[in-house]
């Protein structure tokens, strides 16, 4: 029945379909409901003209002349009272309109879809006015003889109408109204079945107005219940003033019996107004630019491709920024579907985030976020368009179902992603994240293949490695007695006990390591340069070429506007804007800087505690393995060094995950207290803090192993001690690269496994538990808004954490990749699974996020550039100081005396000699041995030299070679980076041509439209003038000339 209001506003007989908007004559503009808001640029409200079409409220009932009951898409029930009151106030300024009913049948073809009787009672007409919430219903019924008490009962029943009932009909026998309530609900609204309407409907009760947003709340019984109720009342009142339609579902109709739901619909006039404010581009003509052709060998990628209808759900159009004064220019076939659902919920959220709800403590309170934080509302979310496991029965295309079928399936891990469909449903900001993640995964494929080749090279050359052969040889490594690794407790040991350790080290510490480090320096450059091109192509395809951050990211945050008491003129717009003086910001900047510094210090202290753990536990492991006879068989591969490294890496991973939990909340609180002015400033500030915390948290232990462990040890008899208690750690005979690989593997793989399990299981368990708690009344219907209400909240920072996780993984792949060539492979496998996990949880386990626009990945791109530059230096230092390649090369070219096997004797050359008698008493092993000397890893003079235990000349040769390699590698890689960046354009040539073509066509189309419009206006004015000429001639004297 409520759809009659649509007919009264549109002046049409159609109930189920909106009228076509193509073409619309410019001379008949639509009246605007949204003009009641405080926007200064909107046109003022104009009452309906006397020539407005006559409206029939019920079948065969005609109203008297000039009946004005509302505009197009006004709210139903009590929600209509404000709009009708405003309308009648405007009309009363000119004349008082009287509504009279004719109860006799009248031949009319309007409302033909409804059943018509021979004559309809006066009560039925009152029902229609009660449904529409007419404010003058009391006056009308009193004039007709019905008591005000009965009429008030009618309105009250209409307000409490639930979605499961059909419609409120006043009984024909008005005398027995309070008692006789049989047959009160006679017909299901719009002939919908209850199950279909409740489980899958995304419309208001009239079945026409689409639900764009949903608010939910529970009546609070605490002391602030009245305050919250008043906030909600004012907030919803102001929402109606902006032109939004609201429909409230009573808690008795909800499944849990506690929750109220406020459904919000944005009428056409609201959409066109805010589409112009936000600068949204809409289609004006079908594009004549062909889609990019597939490469010649694309048929080989057939199994990877998606169907064309899924990959390109919509044709390409020339677009222009929407203007409500040029609606005829745009391809408006149906008002209900012209704006995509993502655009509709973006517009509604824009209104919600800026709608005031009162003044408290002298400050203006605005925005839905404040109401959510204060628990005035429980949630605010746009609806999914259908259930994900089956298509909608309402007839409209179910994008969620298509995404779930073609994207959020783990069996489709090898398929490409439907980026255009993701953009249409979730908005450009989420869409560009998945484009970046997909592109990053594709590029990882090349790095993974090269890294896998380097790994296989080390695997196949393991047996022929001269260093491992000498260590494992009983006549070489078995005869070398090594100095104790800790004081007193540790004993002497033979070099060949680390045979397996040295072979494992060769997997990652071989000649291919240098090649792979240089390759990754070039790969990261190609990755970033080709991403620029991909991003530029995406900007063109998604109409983001002229997108300016000011449209969204540079808009003032509602929290900033509410807290600012000062105003300052904007030098660009010449308008007064909220301003926060620097003196008011300085205290929070100081608190922020202090907190960040303290957090970084706490992170470093946690790393120091892990180092202390390693130093203290190593002696325990060593003594325990020496004393236990049962461990003698495993000592060959499970050494005290390996045991310490594994336990310390696992402990470090646990500490990292725990600290992340706290630092996320600390960073968010600090950023909020800083009161950033715009959304972009807020995101940039939060991103910087979070990345600094995560960078130090995840990479500090890797930096310690790579660049500090074993570098400042000293030598036997004069070891360095931490806090004068714990002796510094030494690297193994094969160097620290294996330990760095172990550390990197455990942290990287552990983080990825924990992240994927957490992302997949956490929303699944939470949703199951929430449904289990709320499904208390199984006999009640589980509506669409309740289904989405029970899902997890994606939140504004949901995408932020996804980017952060990807960037941290990018750091593992680039910063320390020289020590672990398999890192790109593990990242590739994780991303292939992660894309489907993200798609699955976003489509099935989370509420639909509010759509937002973005033309790039933002500040994350700058972070990636910084990490790419740092990665060149870190990999060069890893090859030089952590790997054993440079010392082997120096021996190969400068100190080897064997021409057939140049590396023979390298192990003996790299180990210095120490006289056991020179051990201080507090460092020598407790058990006495018959050994005279022991060996240790360093380049120092022997005991019989006059400069004993000082660095020999080979040490300085090796150090010079290491520094030379760092300088050469950095310059070579940076030279390639600059050359590639210069050779690869940021925007492809074909994209530049397409952008120019589209701009030209858009200007031409708009020019032709304005020209035709001007001609029509001139023709109309000329016709009016010519019509007035004869009239003027008749009125003038015979001697007068007609004036034009």
């Amino acid at each position: 029945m409520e759809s009659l209001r649509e007919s009264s506003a549109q002046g049409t007989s159609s109930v189920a379909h909106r009228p076509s908007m193509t073409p619309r004559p410019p001379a008949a503009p639509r009246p605007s409901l949204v003009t009641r808001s405080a926007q200064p640029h909107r046109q003022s409200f104009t009452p309906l003209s006397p020539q407005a079409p006559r409206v029939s409220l019920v079948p065969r009932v005609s109203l008297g002349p000039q009946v004005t009951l509302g505009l197009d898409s006004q709210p139903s029930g009590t929600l209509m009272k404000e709009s009708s009151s405003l309308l009648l106030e405007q009309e009363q300024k000119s004349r008082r309109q009287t509504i009279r009913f004719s109860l006799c049948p009248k031949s009319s073809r309007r409302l033909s879809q409804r059943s018509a009787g021979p004559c309809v009672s006066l009560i039925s007409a009152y029902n229609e006015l009660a449904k529409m919430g007419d404010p003058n219903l009391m006056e009308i019924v009193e004039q007709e003889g019905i008591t005000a008490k009965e009429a008030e009962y009618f309105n009250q029943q209409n307000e409490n109408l639930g979605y499961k009932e059909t419609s409120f009909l006043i009984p024909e026998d008005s005398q027995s109204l309070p008692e006789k309530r049989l047959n009160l609900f006679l017909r299901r609204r719009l002939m919908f079945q209850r199950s279909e309407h409740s489980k899958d409907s995304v419309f208001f009760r009239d079945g026409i107005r689409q639900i764009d947003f949903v608010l939910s709340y529970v009546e609070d019984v605490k002391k602030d219940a009245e305050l919250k109720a008043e906030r909600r009342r004012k907030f919803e009142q102001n929402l109606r003033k902006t032109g939004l339609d609201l429909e409230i579902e009573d808690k008795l109709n909800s499944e849990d019996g506690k929750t109220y739901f406020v459904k919000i619909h944005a009428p056409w006039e609201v959409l066109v107004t805010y589409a112009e404010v936000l600068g949204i581009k809409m289609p004006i003509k079908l594009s004549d630019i062909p889609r990019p052709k597939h490469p010649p060998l694309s048929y080989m990628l057939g199994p990877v491709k998606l169907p064309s209808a899924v990959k390109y759900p919509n044709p390409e159009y020339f677009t222009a920024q929407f203007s409500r004064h040029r609606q005829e220019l745009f391809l408006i076939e149906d008002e209900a579907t012209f704006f995509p659902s993502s655009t509709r919920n973006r517009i509604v959220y824009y209104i919600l985030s800026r709608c005031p709800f009162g003044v408290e403590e002298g400050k203006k309170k605005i925005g839905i976020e404040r109401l959510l934080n204060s628990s005035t509302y429980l949630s605010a979310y746009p609806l999914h368009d259908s259930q994900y496991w089956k298509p909608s029965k309402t007839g409209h295309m179910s994008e969620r179902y298509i995404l779930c079928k073609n994207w959020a399936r783990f069996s489709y891990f090898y398929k490409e992603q439907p980026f255009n469909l993701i953009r249409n449903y979730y908005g450009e900001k989420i869409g560009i994240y998945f484009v970046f993640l997909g592109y990053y995964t594709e590029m990882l494929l090349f790095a993974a293949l090269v890294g896998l080749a380097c790994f296989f090279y080390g695997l196949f050359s393991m047996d022929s490695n001269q260093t491992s052969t000498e260590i494992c040889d009983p006549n070489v490594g078995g005869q070398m007695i090594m100095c104790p690794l800790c004081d007193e407790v540790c004993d002497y040991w033979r070099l060949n006990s680390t045979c397996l350790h040295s072979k494992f080290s060769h997997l990652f510490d071989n000649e291919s390591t240098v090649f792979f480090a240089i390759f990754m320096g070039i790969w990261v450059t190609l990755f970033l340069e080709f991403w620029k091109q991909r991003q530029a192509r995406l900007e063109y395809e998604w109409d983001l070429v002229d997108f300016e951050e000011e449209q969204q990211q540079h808009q003032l945050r509602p929290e900033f506007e509410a807290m600012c008491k000062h105003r300052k003129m904007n030098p660009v717009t010449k308008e007064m804007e909220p301003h926060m003086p620097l003196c008011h910001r300085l205290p929070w900047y100081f608190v922020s800087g202090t907190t960040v510094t303290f957090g970084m210090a706490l992170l470093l202290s946690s790393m120091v505690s892990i180092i202390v753990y390693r130093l203290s536990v190593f002696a325990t492991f060593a003594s325990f393995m020496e004393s236990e006879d049962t461990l003698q068989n495993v000592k060959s591969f499970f050494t005290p060094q390996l045991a310490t490294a594994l336990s310390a890496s696992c402990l470090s991973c646990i500490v990292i995950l725990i600290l992340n939990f706290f630092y996320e909340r600390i960073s968010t609180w600090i950023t909020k207290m800083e009161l950033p002015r715009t959304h972009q400033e807020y995101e940039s500030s939060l991103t910087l803090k979070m990345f600094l915390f995560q960078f130090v948290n995840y990479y500090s232990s890797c930096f310690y192993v790579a660049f500090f462990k074993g570098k400042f040890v000293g030598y036997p008899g004069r070891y360095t001690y931490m806090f004068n208690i714990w002796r510094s750690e030494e690297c193994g005979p094969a160097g620290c690269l294996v330990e760095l690989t172990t550390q990197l593997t455990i942290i990287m793989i552990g983080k990825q496994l924990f992240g994927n399990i957490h992302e997949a299981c956490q929303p699944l368990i939470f949703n199951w538990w929430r449904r289990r708690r709320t499904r208390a009344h199984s006999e009640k219907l589980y509506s669409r808004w309740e289904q989405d209400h029970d899902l997890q909240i994606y939140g504004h920072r949901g995408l932020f954490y996804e980017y952060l996780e990807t960037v941290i993984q990018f750091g593992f792949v680039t910063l320390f990749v020289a020590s672990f060539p398999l890192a790109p492979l593990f990242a590739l496998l994780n991303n292939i699974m992660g894309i489907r996990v993200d798609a699955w949880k976003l489509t099935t386990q989370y509420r639909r996020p509010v759509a937002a626009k973005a033309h790039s990945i933002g500040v994350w791109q700058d972070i990636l550039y910084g990490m790419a530059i740092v990665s060149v230096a870190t990999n060069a230092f890893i090859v030089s100081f952590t790997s054993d390649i440079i010392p082997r090369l120096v021996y190969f070219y400068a100190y080897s005396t064997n021409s057939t096997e140049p590396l023979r004797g390298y192990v003996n050359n790299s180990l210095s000699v120490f006289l056991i008698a020179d051990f201080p008493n507090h460092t020598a092993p407790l058990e006495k041995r018959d050994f005279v000397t022991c060996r240790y890893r360093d380049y120092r003079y022997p005991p019989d030299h006059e400069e004993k235990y000082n660095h020999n000349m080979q040490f300085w040769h090796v150090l010079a070679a290491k520094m030379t390699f760092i300088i050469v590698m950095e310059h070579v890689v940076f030279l390639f980076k600059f050359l590639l960046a210069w050779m690869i354009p940021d925007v492809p040539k074909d994209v530049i041509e397409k952008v120019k073509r589209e701009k030209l066509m858009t200007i031409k189309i708009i020019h032709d439209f304005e020209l035709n419009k001007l001609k029509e206006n001139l023709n109309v004015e000329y016709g009016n003038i010519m019509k007035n000429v004869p009239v003027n001639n008749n009125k003038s004297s015979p001697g007068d000339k007609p004036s034009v």
Side-chain angles (χ1 to χ4, degrees):
M1 296 274 185
E2 290 192 47
S3 57
L4 289 169
R5 186 172 62 261
E6 298 289 337
S7 298
S8 63
Q10 306 285 347
T12 178
S13 61
S14 174
V15 175
H17 304 285
R18 288 182 177 268
S20 175
M21 294 290 295
T22 331
R24 177 181 298 152
R30 297 168 57 90
S32 175
L33 182 61
V34 295
T35 53
R36 288 172 290 182
S37 68
Q39 298 287 347
H41 59 276
R42 299 184 190 172
Q43 62 187 92
S44 60
F45 181 87
T46 307
L48 294 177
S49 61
Q51 288 77 22
R54 295 158 59 105
V55 180
S56 294
L57 286 179
V58 291
R60 306 283 183 151
V61 178
S62 61
L63 297 180
Q66 287 83 37
V67 176
T68 55
L69 292 178
L71 302 175
D72 42 5
S73 301
Q74 292 184 359
S76 62
T78 58
L79 307 184
M80 274 287 300
K81 291 183 179 180
E82 281 193 19
S83 56
S84 299
S85 301
L86 179 62
L87 181 60
L88 292 176
E89 285 179 10
Q90 296 286 345
E91 290 187 323
Q92 285 173 358
K93 293 180 181 180
S94 56
R95 55 185 174 84
R96 175 71 177 178
Q97 198 69 278
T98 303
I99 302 179
R100 301 190 180 278
F101 300 88
S102 172
L103 301 180
C104 300
K106 178 180 177 180
S107 59
S108 175
R109 301 179 65 179
R110 291 186 177 180
L111 306 173
S112 58
Q113 294 184 5
R114 296 184 176 270
S115 59
C119 189
V120 182
S121 66
L122 179 62
I123 301 296
S124 299
Y126 294 147
N127 275 288
E128 298 297 334
L129 288 177
K131 278 175 45 186
M132 290 185 173
D134 192 278
N136 293 324
L137 178 61
M138 295 294 188
E139 180 183 346
I140 297 173
V141 297
E142 287 179 359
Q143 292 178 359
E144 297 295 337
I146 297 181
T147 64
K149 183 177 180 180
E150 293 170 344
E152 184 177 357
Y153 176 79
F154 302 159
N155 267 333
Q156 183 179 0
Q157 290 295 323
N158 183 57
E159 291 181 12
N160 298 330
L161 194 62
Y163 72 90
K164 291 185 293 185
E165 295 126 7
T166 55
S167 60
F168 177 69
L169 300 175
I170 301 178
E172 303 298 329
D173 186 6
S174 62
Q175 300 298 328
S176 59
L177 176 67
E179 296 82 7
K180 186 177 180 181
R181 302 180 64 178
L182 299 176
N183 299 324
L184 199 62
F185 310 108
L186 302 177
R187 196 185 314 164
R188 289 183 173 90
R189 182 174 284 105
L190 291 180
M191 306 306 292
F192 271 99
Q193 293 184 6
R194 287 175 58 185
S195 60
E196 291 182 0
H197 187 73
S198 63
K199 288 186 177 181
D200 205 27
S201 175
V202 292
F203 297 94
F204 275 21
R205 298 175 196 139
D206 55 15
I208 295 178
R209 289 175 293 169
Q210 177 181 343
I211 301 174
D212 298 316
F213 228 87
V214 176
L215 309 178
S216 67
Y217 65 90
V218 175
E219 288 183 336
D220 202 339
V221 295
K222 298 180 181 179
K223 59 181 181 180
D224 55 349
E226 295 183 359
L227 176 62
K228 292 181 179 179
E230 180 64 17
R231 288 174 177 172
R232 286 192 293 266
R233 187 190 68 80
K234 291 182 178 179
F235 187 72
E236 293 169 12
Q237 181 182 10
N238 290 329
L239 288 179
R240 296 189 191 103
K241 289 180 180 180
T242 63
L244 296 177
D245 291 353
L246 273 64
E247 189 173 73
I248 302 177
E249 292 294 337
D250 192 82
K251 65 179 181 180
L252 299 178
N253 298 321
S254 64
E255 208 279 334
D256 60 358
K258 302 176 182 178
T259 309
Y260 292 86
F261 291 94
V262 181
K263 298 176 288 185
I264 301 176
H265 166 77
W268 174 257
E269 291 298 335
V270 174
L271 294 174
V272 298
T273 300
Y274 283 94
E276 183 176 2
V277 171
L278 296 176
I280 297 175
K281 288 187 175 183
M282 299 305 293
I284 57 177
K285 184 182 179 181
L286 196 66
S287 176
D288 59 359
I289 302 176
R291 296 187 187 276
K293 296 181 180 180
H294 298 293
L297 300 179
S298 61
Y299 67 90
M300 299 176 60
L301 302 176
V304 182
K305 299 293 183 182
L306 287 171
S308 180
V310 177
K311 187 176 181 180
Y312 303 109
N314 298 315
E316 294 289 335
Y317 293 99
F318 293 127
T319 59
Q321 286 193 359
F322 189 82
S323 173
R324 54 187 175 141
H325 302 296
R326 296 176 177 173
Q327 295 186 28
E328 301 82 1
L329 172 65
F330 298 89
L331 302 178
I332 307 176
E333 296 180 359
D334 185 2
E335 292 180 2
T337 59
F338 177 65
F339 290 103
S341 57
S342 58
T343 302
R344 297 177 69 99
N345 70 61
R346 178 187 165 209
I347 290 175
V348 174
Y349 182 76
Y350 181 86
I351 299 174
L352 292 175
S353 62
R354 284 157 177 78
C355 183
F357 56 88
V359 178
E360 299 176 7
E361 300 177 356
K363 298 180 180 179
K364 186 178 181 181
K365 302 294 182 180
I366 61 174
I368 186 64
E369 292 299 328
R370 284 183 173 272
L371 295 175
L372 292 174
N373 293 336
S374 63
S375 300
T376 305
Y377 286 102
L378 293 180
S379 59
Y381 55 93
L383 280 184
H384 284 292
D385 63 357
S386 71
Q387 295 165 333
Y388 65 85
W389 63 86
K390 64 178 181 179
S392 175
K393 296 181 180 180
T394 57
H396 68 283
M397 185 181 69
S398 175
E399 293 179 335
R400 185 190 189 191
Y401 170 74
I402 297 175
L403 285 172
C404 185
K405 183 179 179 182
N406 296 275
W407 181 47
R409 294 172 59 182
F410 294 98
S411 59
Y412 274 34
F413 69 92
Y414 60 93
K415 292 279 189 180
E416 61 181 346
Q417 301 182 72
F419 296 125
N420 291 310
L421 198 59
I422 298 170
R423 173 242 183 169
N424 291 344
Y425 192 68
Y426 292 112
E428 288 81 0
K429 194 169 186 178
I430 291 180
I432 203 169
Y433 163 73
F434 282 101
V435 173
F436 171 75
L437 187 59
Y439 167 79
Y440 171 49
T441 305
E442 292 174 3
M443 292 294 292
L444 277 177
L445 178 62
F446 302 101
L449 292 176
V450 177
L452 193 62
C454 293
F455 174 78
F456 280 124
Y457 172 82
L459 182 64
F460 293 142
S461 62
M462 182 186 300
D463 294 334
S464 61
N465 179 34
Q466 186 65 40
T467 303
S468 300
T469 302
E470 290 187 358
I471 292 176
C472 297
D473 189 352
N475 298 322
V476 181
Q479 301 301 320
M480 293 184 180
I481 306 301
M482 304 299 293
C483 295
L485 296 174
C486 61
D487 295 339
E488 297 183 334
V489 180
C490 298
D491 200 358
Y492 301 98
W493 52 284
R494 297 185 182 273
L495 182 61
N496 64 346
S497 63
T498 60
C499 177
L500 291 179
H501 187 269
S502 65
K503 289 184 176 181
F504 180 74
S505 175
H506 180 74
L507 288 173
F508 307 103
D509 189 5
N510 51 67
E511 293 77 9
S512 64
T513 303
V514 179
F515 165 76
F516 192 63
I518 297 175
F519 169 79
M520 288 303 295
I522 298 174
W523 174 87
V524 73
T525 303
L526 294 174
F527 168 76
L528 294 173
E529 292 302 322
F530 284 133
W531 169 245
K532 287 182 183 178
Q533 290 197 344
R534 183 71 181 92
Q535 196 168 251
R537 194 177 300 277
L538 202 67
E539 289 181 8
Y540 163 73
E541 293 174 354
W542 287 1
D543 290 327
L544 301 172
V545 175
D546 295 328
F547 173 74
E548 298 179 1
E549 294 291 345
E550 288 80 1
Q551 295 177 2
Q552 183 170 344
Q553 293 298 314
H554 285 181
Q555 292 166 358
L556 298 180
R557 297 174 63 242
E559 295 85 353
F560 178 81
E561 295 184 49
M563 294 297 294
C564 285
K565 297 182 179 180
H566 301 271
R567 296 276 173 174
K568 182 180 179 181
M569 179 173 289
N570 189 318
V572 178
T573 61
K574 298 299 181 181
E575 296 179 357
M576 299 299 293
E577 292 182 352
H579 173 66
M580 179 75 70
L582 182 61
C583 58
H584 293 178
R585 290 174 176 266
L586 283 178
W588 286 112
Y589 284 152
F590 176 77
V591 172
S592 175
T594 304
T595 308
V596 171
T597 305
F598 176 76
M600 303 284 281
L602 185 60
L603 287 172
L604 294 176
S605 64
S606 67
M607 184 191 70
V608 173
S609 64
I610 297 294
I611 297 173
V612 171
Y613 165 83
R614 300 167 69 104
L615 299 177
S616 59
V617 168
F618 177 78
T620 305
F621 275 124
S623 60
F624 179 73
M625 289 184 176
E626 289 290 340
S627 61
E628 290 291 333
D629 296 335
T630 56
L631 298 178
Q632 296 299 319
N633 296 328
V634 299
K635 282 183 62 178
S636 59
F637 60 89
F638 194 69
T639 60
Q641 295 97 320
L642 183 60
T644 303
L646 288 174
S647 61
S649 298
C650 294
L651 180 62
S652 178
C653 185
I654 295 172
V655 171
I656 285 170
L657 296 176
I658 295 175
L659 290 177
N660 276 344
F661 177 80
F662 294 101
Y663 286 135
E664 287 178 5
R665 284 148 184 80
I666 293 174
S667 300
T668 304
W669 177 76
I670 295 173
T671 307
K672 190 177 295 184
M673 290 299 101
E674 289 177 357
L675 280 179
R677 184 173 180 271
T678 64
H679 292 281
Q680 188 180 43
E681 291 179 5
Y682 177 85
E683 291 188 1
S684 299
S685 179
L686 179 63
T687 300
L688 179 62
K689 295 182 182 64
M690 284 294 295
F691 177 74
L692 286 176
F693 283 138
Q694 298 272 19
F695 187 90
V696 176
N697 200 15
Y698 279 106
Y699 303 141
S700 57
S701 58
C702 295
F703 272 99
Y704 164 73
V705 175
F707 307 123
F708 297 99
K709 182 182 177 182
K711 307 301 186 294
F712 311 101
V713 176
Y715 60 92
R718 294 191 63 180
Y719 286 113
T720 59
Y721 291 84
M722 178 176 286
F723 307 123
N724 293 323
I725 301 175
W726 294 286
R727 176 175 147 185
S728 299
E729 282 187 286
E730 296 182 54
C731 292
C736 287
L737 193 69
V738 174
E739 190 169 342
L740 176 59
T741 303
T742 305
Q743 182 90 0
L744 188 66
T745 305
I746 291 177
I747 294 178
M748 179 181 178
I749 297 179
K751 176 187 180 300
Q752 292 179 350
L753 285 177
F754 176 80
N756 285 332
I757 293 174
H758 177 265
E759 289 182 5
C761 296
Q762 187 257 353
L764 196 64
I765 295 173
F766 275 53
N767 289 339
W768 170 80
W769 180 251
R770 179 177 289 184
R771 293 191 189 102
R772 183 176 178 272
R773 291 180 59 191
T774 56
R775 295 303 297 270
H777 304 84
S778 59
E779 73 280 358
K780 293 193 176 183
L781 297 174
Y782 200 35
S783 62
R784 286 288 306 115
W785 42 91
E786 290 179 282
Q787 296 173 34
D788 285 9
H789 182 263
D790 289 343
L791 298 177
Q792 289 294 294
I793 303 173
Y794 192 70
H796 298 291
R797 293 193 297 274
L799 207 60
F800 169 82
Y801 294 118
E802 301 292 349
Y803 273 118
L804 184 61
E805 180 184 357
T806 305
V807 169
I808 294 297
Q809 184 201 83
F810 181 82
F812 283 121
V813 170
T814 56
L815 293 177
F816 308 100
V817 73
S819 65
F820 190 38
L822 293 180
L825 178 62
F826 283 107
L828 174 66
L829 297 176
N830 175 79
N831 287 0
I832 290 175
M833 185 62 64
I835 289 174
R836 304 302 161 177
V837 170
D838 290 344
W840 171 78
K841 72 178 184 181
L842 195 61
T843 308
T844 66
Q845 302 301 313
Y846 280 91
R847 296 173 187 167
R848 185 176 181 179
V850 179
K853 293 183 79 70
H855 73 292
S856 67
I857 60 176
V859 69
W860 298 108
Q861 189 161 344
D862 299 329
I863 292 176
L864 292 176
Y865 273 102
M867 295 182 73
I869 295 174
V870 174
S871 67
V872 177
T874 55
N875 284 300
F877 274 90
I878 287 173
V879 172
S880 296
F881 289 95
T882 310
S883 171
D884 206 32
I885 292 177
I886 303 300
R888 288 203 297 264
L889 291 176
V890 172
Y891 178 80
F892 182 91
Y893 289 106
Y895 292 91
S896 176
T897 58
N898 192 329
S899 59
T900 58
E901 295 180 350
L903 287 178
R904 179 177 290 276
Y906 167 73
V907 174
N908 181 65
N909 177 265
S910 63
L911 298 176
S912 298
V913 180
F914 182 78
L915 187 65
I916 294 178
D918 293 337
F919 266 122
N921 293 331
H922 66 280
T923 61
L926 298 177
E927 296 184 10
K928 301 299 182 181
R929 298 292 182 179
D930 297 334
F931 311 130
V932 177
T933 61
C934 63
R935 311 294 294 271
Y936 62 97
R937 183 181 174 84
D938 206 345
Y939 294 100
R940 293 181 182 269
Y941 289 111
D944 56 353
H945 196 275
E946 59 181 7
E947 297 183 16
K948 68 175 185 178
Y949 307 140
N950 288 332
H951 288 298
N952 57 21
M953 188 57 64
Q954 188 174 353
F955 170 82
W956 301 108
H957 288 168
V958 172
L959 181 61
K962 290 179 178 180
M963 300 305 297
T964 303
F965 176 82
I966 292 174
I967 295 173
V968 171
M969 179 180 170
E970 287 184 348
H971 281 71
V972 169
V973 174
F974 281 128
L975 178 63
F976 272 97
K977 287 172 67 72
F978 292 139
L979 285 176
L980 291 173
W982 174 71
M983 293 171 60
I984 301 174
D986 292 346
V987 183
K989 184 178 179 181
D990 63 316
V991 174
I992 296 176
E993 294 174 352
K994 290 178 180 179
V995 170
K996 291 181 179 179
R997 168 68 179 170
E998 181 165 352
K999 286 185 177 181
L1000 177 65
M1001 291 301 299
T1002 302
I1003 294 174
K1004 184 177 182 300
I1005 293 170
I1006 296 176
H1007 175 268
D1008 293 343
F1009 170 79
E1010 295 291 346
L1011 185 61
N1012 294 333
K1013 189 175 181 179
L1014 179 61
K1015 289 180 179 179
E1016 291 178 2
N1017 293 337
L1018 291 177
N1019 291 336
V1020 171
E1021 292 182 5
Y1022 180 75
N1024 293 336
I1025 292 174
M1026 296 305 295
K1027 288 180 181 178
N1028 293 332
V1029 169
V1031 177
N1032 293 335
N1033 288 340
N1034 294 334
K1035 291 182 180 181
S1036 61
S1037 60
D1040 295 337
K1041 294 182 180 180
S1043 60
V1044 179

